[in-house]
C-alpha cells in the first residue's frame, strides 16, 4: 500500500546524519510521498533543496507562528518572490497560523497569518494550518479573507464541531500520533465521526511521538501505525483506509496520483 506523510520536518538536523538511510527506512514501511513544510526564512532554502534532490518530497513555504519576530514582516516580500518562482514540488503555503500557547504577540501573529492567506489566495495554493487554542479566530479570519483553496488543518486535537468548521471551508484534517493515546478521548471520538474522505495522515516528525514511543524522535516510517490506529477506530480495513487517505492527500495538495 502507498502511504503519504502530509506533514513531517524531514529537514531538521536530527535526520541529516544519513538522510538517504532515513528516507529508505520510511520507504520500507510504504511511505512513498512526503510534504515538508517550512517554519520560516531559516529553512526556506533547505526544504527547496531537499525536494530538488528527491522526487518523493514536496514542500511548503511559510512562516510558523512559533518562530515569528518583528522582522518577519520584512521577510514577506521574499516569501512572495519565492512563491512566484516556485516549481511543481511547492504545493502549499505554510506552515502558518495562530498559536495562543506561545509568547508571541497575537497582533503580530494575526498580521503575518493574514498576509500568508493573501499570498495563498494570489497563487491559488492550499494552506497548511498550525492552530493551537485559536480555532474560532482562525475560522473567522479564513471567512473574512474569503479563502477558497483549502489545505490541511495540521495536528488536529480538537472536537468534531471544530473539525467540521474547517471541513466546511474546504480543508482536510491532519490525523497524527495523538489518536494513538487512549486518554485523547475527545479527539479519538471526533475522528470516528468525521468523514474518512476528509482525513489525511501525518507524523509531524520529529515531534508528536506515538503512544509507546514517548521520549523518542518521531519518524515518517510511523505513518503505518497511525494508519492502523485509524483503521481500528473507524472499523475499516487498513487497505481501504490507505487507499482513501492516499487519494485525499494528493487531492489536498493538487498532486497527480
Amino acid at each position: 500500500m502507498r502511504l503519504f506523510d502530509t506533514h513531517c520536518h524531514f529537514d531538521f538536523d536530527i535526520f541529516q546524519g544519513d538522510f538517504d538511510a532515513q528516507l529508505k527506512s520510511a520507504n520500507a514501511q510504504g511511505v512513498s510521498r512526503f510534504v515538508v513544510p517550512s517554519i520560516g526564512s531559516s529553512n526556506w532554502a533547505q526544504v527547496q533543496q531537499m525536494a530538488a534532490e528527491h522526487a518523493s518530497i514536496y514542500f511548503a513555504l511559510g512562516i510558523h507562528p512559533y518562530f515569528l519576530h518583528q522582522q518577519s514582516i520584512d521577510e514577506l516580500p521574499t516569501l512572495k518572490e519565492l512563491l512566484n518562482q516556485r516549481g511543481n514540488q511547492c504545493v502549499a503555503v505554510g506552515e502558518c497560523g495562530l498559536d495562543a500557547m506561545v509568547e508571541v504577540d497575537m497582533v503580530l501573529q494575526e498580521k503575518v497569518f493574514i498576509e500568508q492567506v493573501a499570498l495563498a489566495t494570489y497563487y491559488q495554493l492550499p494552506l497548511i494550518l498550525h492552530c493551537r487554542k485559536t480555532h474560532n479566530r482562525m475560522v473567522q479570519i479564513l471567512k473574512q479573507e474569503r479563502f477558497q483553496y483549502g489545505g490541511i488543518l495540521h495536528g488536529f486535537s480538537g472536537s468534531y464541531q471544530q473539525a467540521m468548521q474547517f471541513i466546511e471551508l474546504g480543508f482536510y484534517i491532519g490525523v497524527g500520533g495523538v489518536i494513538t493515546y487512549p486518554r485523547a478521548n475527545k479527539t479519538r471520538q471526533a475522528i470516528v465521526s468525521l468523514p474518512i474522505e476528509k482525513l489525511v495522515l501525518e507524523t509531524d516528525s520529529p515531534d508528536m511521538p506515538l503512544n509507546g514511543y514517548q521520549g523518542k524522535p518521531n519518524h515518517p516510517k510511523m505513518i503505518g501505525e497511525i494508519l492502523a490506529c485509524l483503521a481500528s477506530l473507524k472499523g475499516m480495513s487498513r487497505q481501504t483506509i490507505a487507499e482513501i487517505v492516499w487519494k485525499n492527500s494528493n487531492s489536498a495538495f493538487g498532486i497527480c496520483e
Side-chain angles (χ1 to χ4, degrees):
M1 65 179 71
R2 298 174 297 175
L3 301 175
F4 194 143
D5 189 346
T6 63
H7 195 115
C8 60
H9 296 284
F10 231 173
D11 63 304
F12 281 15
D13 288 348
I14 196 168
F15 299 118
Q16 298 313 306
D18 186 352
F19 183 71
D20 286 343
Q22 302 284 354
L23 187 59
K24 285 176 183 175
S25 69
N27 294 157
Q29 298 301 316
V31 191
S32 56
R33 282 184 180 170
F34 313 80
V35 168
V36 180
S38 60
I39 57 170
S41 60
S42 63
N43 71 337
W44 287 341
Q46 193 170 352
V47 298
Q48 291 179 89
Q49 184 63 30
M50 180 172 277
E53 294 173 358
H54 304 279
S56 62
I57 294 178
Y58 299 83
F59 67 97
L61 295 174
I63 306 174
H64 190 301
Y66 187 87
F67 300 97
L68 279 180
H69 43 80
Q70 289 301 326
Q71 288 72 34
S72 297
I73 297 292
D74 300 329
E75 294 171 347
L76 287 165
T78 302
L79 177 57
K80 181 175 183 178
E81 184 59 29
L82 289 173
L83 290 169
N84 197 48
Q85 297 171 359
R86 74 191 186 282
N88 291 336
Q89 280 171 277
C90 179
V91 293
V93 172
E95 158 179 12
C96 61
L98 303 175
D99 192 325
M101 305 293 287
V102 296
E103 293 182 10
V104 178
D105 179 61
M106 190 53 71
V107 173
L108 176 64
Q109 286 195 46
E110 290 196 8
K111 180 174 178 60
V112 175
F113 176 55
I114 288 170
E115 291 287 346
Q116 291 180 90
V117 173
L119 286 173
T121 295
Y122 184 79
Y123 291 109
Q124 300 183 12
L125 287 168
L127 288 164
I128 296 176
L129 298 178
H130 173 97
C131 180
R132 284 205 303 175
K133 308 292 185 184
T134 55
H135 285 85
N136 291 340
R137 180 59 180 144
M138 186 171 282
V139 167
Q140 188 178 29
I141 289 173
L142 291 168
K143 288 181 176 178
Q144 162 191 307
E145 297 300 309
R146 296 186 172 88
F147 184 68
Q148 299 177 12
Y149 298 97
I152 294 175
L153 176 62
H154 147 65
F156 175 71
S157 62
S159 68
Y160 171 80
Q161 290 78 11
Q162 287 171 328
M164 285 305 300
Q165 286 183 299
F166 286 91
I167 287 173
E168 287 164 7
L169 290 173
F171 286 84
Y172 291 82
I173 305 301
V175 179
V178 66
I179 68 165
T180 65
Y181 290 84
R183 69 175 184 272
N185 190 55
K186 178 180 71 173
T187 300
R188 284 160 64 97
Q189 288 304 311
I191 294 301
V192 168
S193 302
L194 291 172
I196 188 65
E197 293 78 15
K198 290 298 179 180
L199 304 181
V200 298
L201 301 178
E202 60 171 63
T203 61
D204 198 22
S205 304
D207 298 324
M208 288 177 61
L210 281 63
N211 186 34
Y213 297 89
Q214 295 94 322
K216 299 178 181 178
N218 200 2
H219 195 285
K221 67 184 180 183
M222 302 302 291
I223 276 286
E225 297 208 22
I226 300 171
L227 170 70
C229 184
L230 179 58
S232 176
L233 289 172
K234 285 286 196 183
M236 300 169 69
S237 75
R238 293 186 202 185
Q239 183 65 45
T240 299
I241 293 271
E243 289 173 3
I244 294 171
V245 297
W246 172 263
K247 182 176 180 181
N248 296 348
S249 302
N250 287 291
S251 178
F253 293 117
I255 300 170
C256 294
E257 290 190 54

